[in-house]
Amino acid sequence: GENVEQHPSTLSVQEGDSAVIKCTYSDSASNYFPWYKQELGKGPQLIIDIRSNVGEKKDQRIAVTLNKTAKHFSLHITETQPEDSAVYFCAASDRDRDDKIIFGKGTRLHILP
Amino acid sequence: DAGVTQSPTHLIKTRGQQVTLRCSPKSGHDTVSWYQQALGQGPQFIFQYYEEEERQRGNFPDRFSGHQFPNYSSELNVNALLLGDSALYLCASSLPTGGFGYTFGSGTRLTVV
């Protein structure tokens, strides 16, 4: 089955700087890659996603890139703000086969003042 | 528009007992997935329900069972609780396969003592 590796597990960046979180996946059939943000006491919230027919997608300060050949995908957050502090999860799914989403172990992002 | 609602928010049970967790999906969603999230880990897929049937299942023992009702709400049952079952249990709803993105509830924090 699918296995998603995520790193780093913890990331501290100065407010205003950029943050990058990287993930790899094992199943070449995976074709949907969502990113979730989880704040304390809440469930994960979808912040951006990318499909396998797209190499890059951007939404304001957040961007995702996908390299299908290398089975890598990354989350980029620019101009970080205090409210970006949270745990971020990458995930992968084969939407043609089933609806199951497999998550990485998460990255705890700290935005330093 | 209500999102995904889970109850209860917190629960303490004794080892060997049984527990039932409940989930109401987001309006318009008819597929419900359950995840277990241990402290500091990513969500682990338990199973998914669609049209009142278990459509797929993750690597969890038969002690974990579920049900989906005609109104799309769902229950997760865990029998013979173990200390290791202590976790945050997340319910996510979505459109049927072909739709993209889960909407998560805030979870039920289960503590087994």
Side-chain angles (χ1 to χ4, degrees):
Chain A
E2 175 64 276
N3 182 51
V4 178
E5 299 285 341
Q6 180 173 351
H7 59 94
S9 57
T10 305
L11 178 61
S12 296
V13 300
Q14 211 70 37
E15 181 179 348
D17 289 349
S18 296
V20 179
I21 302 171
K22 298 183 178 182
C23 291
T24 61
Y25 61 99
S26 61
D27 189 350
S28 57
S30 289
N31 51 26
Y32 174 63
F33 306 92
W35 287 85
Y36 286 83
K37 175 182 180 182
Q38 187 173 27
E39 297 174 306
L40 198 62
K42 298 184 179 180
Q45 180 185 11
L46 179 69
I47 56 172
I48 196 167
D49 55 15
I50 191 168
R51 305 178 193 182
S52 59
N53 58 349
V54 175
E56 184 173 355
K57 182 177 179 180
K58 188 174 181 181
D59 182 5
Q60 299 183 333
R61 297 186 296 109
I62 295 174
V64 291
T65 59
L66 171 65
N67 182 332
K68 283 212 72 178
T69 302
K71 298 183 193 170
H72 289 173
F73 58 116
S74 300
L75 176 72
H76 304 252
I77 305 174
T78 59
E79 301 173 6
T80 53
Q81 301 170 2
E83 54 265 36
D84 294 330
S85 291
V87 180
Y88 291 81
F89 293 98
C90 61
S93 173
D94 176 0
R95 305 302 286 198
D96 295 328
R97 181 177 59 204
D98 57 40
D99 202 33
K100 182 171 62 180
I101 292 180
I102 303 301
F103 286 80
K105 292 188 175 182
T107 296
R108 183 171 295 279
L109 176 62
H110 299 276
I111 306 301
L112 306 173
Chain B
D1 178 26
V4 177
T5 304
Q6 291 187 243
S7 63
T9 55
H10 296 82
L11 201 53
I12 299 175
K13 288 287 189 178
T14 303
R15 190 171 46 184
Q17 284 188 317
Q18 179 265 343
V19 68
T20 297
L21 311 181
R22 295 176 176 81
C23 171
S24 293
K26 180 180 179 178
S27 178
H29 287 183
D30 57 8
T31 302
V32 174
S33 302
W34 286 92
Y35 284 79
Q36 180 194 66
Q37 186 177 23
L39 202 61
Q41 300 295 314
Q44 298 289 314
F45 178 77
I46 302 175
F47 43 54
Q48 183 182 83
Y49 277 84
Y50 173 65
E51 292 189 340
E52 303 179 47
E53 292 197 359
E54 183 182 294
R55 184 160 66 172
Q56 53 184 313
R57 188 180 185 91
N59 190 26
F60 279 80
D62 291 344
R63 297 187 298 109
F64 289 77
S65 63
H67 188 78
Q68 185 179 35
F69 299 93
N71 66 352
Y72 309 123
S73 66
S74 177
E75 289 182 348
L76 165 65
N77 301 292
V78 186
N79 295 322
L81 284 167
L82 304 174
L83 297 180
D85 294 332
S86 295
L88 180 68
Y89 288 85
L90 294 163
C91 171
S93 71
S94 59
L95 295 170
T97 302
F100 292 84
Y102 286 359
T103 299
F104 279 88
S106 294
T108 294
R109 172 70 63 186
L110 172 65
T111 302
V112 182
V113 297

